[in-house]
Amino acid sequence: MTDFAPVPAFALGPDIPESGFVVQELGGGAYFVTQGMINTMFVVTKKGVVVVDASPFLGEKLLAAVEEVTSKPVTHLIYSHAHADHIGAAHLLNRDGLQIISHEITGDFIKEAKDDRRPLPTETFSGRRKEMDIDGVRFVLDYSGDWHQAGNLFIHLPEQRLMGAMDSFSPKNAPFFRLYFSAHVPAYFDAMDQMLEYDFETVVTGHMALPGTPEDVATNREYIHDLRTAAGEALRTVDLREAAAAAKVPADNKQAELKVWMDAVVARAAELMPSWEKRLGGTDIFLADNLNATAWSVFID
Ligand SMILES: [Zn+2]
């Protein structure tokens, strides 16, 4: 596996020590915690700790990270969305009195999953916004579109100027795979604009070892707009019949035609993309996947 470009220095996070995690103070009682591939955030309040998500990749390390900065108990858990890679260790935090908050749709997904590792939320909300004061810390939970999974939240802490936007993008890196598996690709594009409307200094996005800034959001937005421009141009110039004929697809095999055509669209779009490797890591790894998702969206949305 030597076909990949080396990870650029700017995309590398901190070295992860033997403990398996790094905690970084974000101000106002808020902390970022990462184990290298998965990250999240927690906030120390007057009475306890509010944790966002509980990933099985962090597992017990999340509690160790909390204990590194406070002896207060975890009183609240906010689910950013229902995916098990982010909340599949919630059972480790679960005890009498723990309040688990999520969007109602997230609660429905968890009910459907019947997964003991993901306890049901104790409190859900429907619609667009829930504002809470938890023991002196203000939280704004916004569901503004299914940019990753229906029910996914922006978690804004106005006083800390902090955003949680799990699985929205990876600071200093290209989005994983198919624009991070967007439930709805146009919503993914909108999400970058929406995020930039909040007042924040730091954004925690759920993967890799670095928190981000509004500039990182803007960079991701610029990158995905380049993907969309390239995909649109490729769709205009790559002809389905020509692509199928060039690949000698039998005339009765319509599915193969479609596959060959989209592969040709992606290949053409990749040629049209400006160079990004000095600005983002992982562009070589995920370019074809992201162009495929973008091209289908341009074609059908
Ligand atoms: Zn997810």
Side-chain angles (χ1 to χ4, degrees):
M1 297 289 276
T2 53
D3 292 353
F4 300 111
V7 180
F10 61 77
L12 288 170
D15 287 334
I16 307 296
E18 224 167 87
S19 65
F21 65 89
V22 168
V23 180
Q24 185 186 327
E25 197 171 354
L26 301 175
Y31 295 84
F32 169 80
V33 53
T34 182
Q35 50 76 271
M37 169 47 79
I38 280 267
N39 64 61
T40 195
M41 63 199 224
F42 62 88
V43 191
V44 182
T45 68
K46 278 186 281 196
K47 291 190 187 156
V49 180
V50 182
V51 172
V52 174
D53 293 345
S55 165
F57 294 93
L58 273 159
E60 300 279 358
K61 294 183 199 99
L62 179 58
L63 282 166
V66 169
E67 279 161 19
E68 201 174 282
V69 301
T70 181
S71 56
K72 291 178 182 173
V74 176
T75 53
H76 296 74
L77 173 60
I78 299 171
Y79 287 155
S80 67
H81 66 298
H83 285 158
D85 63 324
H86 291 270
I87 65 165
H91 64 293
L92 298 178
L93 306 186
N94 206 10
R95 53 164 187 82
D96 273 355
L98 177 73
Q99 300 220 44
I100 306 180
I101 302 147
S102 78
H103 197 273
E104 167 181 81
I105 297 170
T106 298
D108 290 343
F109 280 139
I110 296 169
K111 236 177 258 167
E112 245 172 65
K114 296 186 178 60
D115 177 357
D116 291 342
R117 302 172 307 158
R118 286 178 275 175
L120 288 175
T122 57
E123 187 183 342
T124 62
F125 70 102
S126 57
R128 150 105 207 196
R129 173 167 287 192
K130 181 182 177 65
E131 293 192 61
M132 299 180 294
D133 180 296
I134 303 179
D135 301 322
V137 178
R138 200 168 144 233
F139 288 80
V140 180
L141 309 184
D142 276 337
Y143 176 40
S144 57
D146 47 355
W147 41 265
H148 174 64
Q149 183 192 29
N152 54 207
L153 297 179
F154 289 134
I155 300 162
H156 186 217
L157 282 68
E159 280 128 50
Q160 284 72 14
R161 302 190 66 222
L162 173 62
M163 278 287 281
M166 306 305 166
D167 284 349
S168 57
F169 76 107
S170 297
K172 315 291 182 210
N173 288 283
F176 291 142
F177 295 99
R178 301 173 53 76
L179 301 179
Y180 245 81
F181 310 110
S182 316
H184 186 53
V185 171
Y188 185 82
F189 279 79
D190 286 347
M192 300 303 133
D193 295 327
Q194 288 166 0
M195 249 193 277
L196 288 169
E197 284 166 18
Y198 292 85
D199 178 38
F200 68 99
E201 200 175 324
T202 304
V203 57
V204 176
T205 66
H207 281 278
M208 310 293 282
L210 293 167
T213 63
E215 272 185 348
D216 291 317
V217 179
T219 301
N220 191 62
R221 177 171 68 174
E222 191 185 334
Y223 178 67
I224 64 177
H225 280 260
D226 278 358
L227 292 173
R228 192 159 69 183
T229 303
E233 180 57 22
L235 282 165
R236 275 189 292 278
T237 52
V238 176
D239 180 74
L240 186 142
R241 307 249 167 267
E242 282 172 22
K248 299 189 170 52
V249 176
D252 61 353
N253 197 337
K254 300 299 175 198
Q255 294 186 100
E257 264 185 5
L258 209 52
K259 164 77 176 149
V260 160
W261 167 69
M262 184 47 74
D263 286 351
V265 167
V266 167
R268 178 79 190 109
E271 289 166 6
L272 293 168
M273 274 296 282
S275 157
W276 269 87
E277 68 266 16
K278 288 197 169 63
R279 298 180 65 191
L280 291 177
T283 52
D284 59 323
I285 304 167
F286 299 117
L287 181 62
D289 288 304
N290 279 320
L291 280 171
N292 183 291
T294 307
W296 275 120
S297 172
V298 172
F299 190 58
I300 62 180
D301 286 323

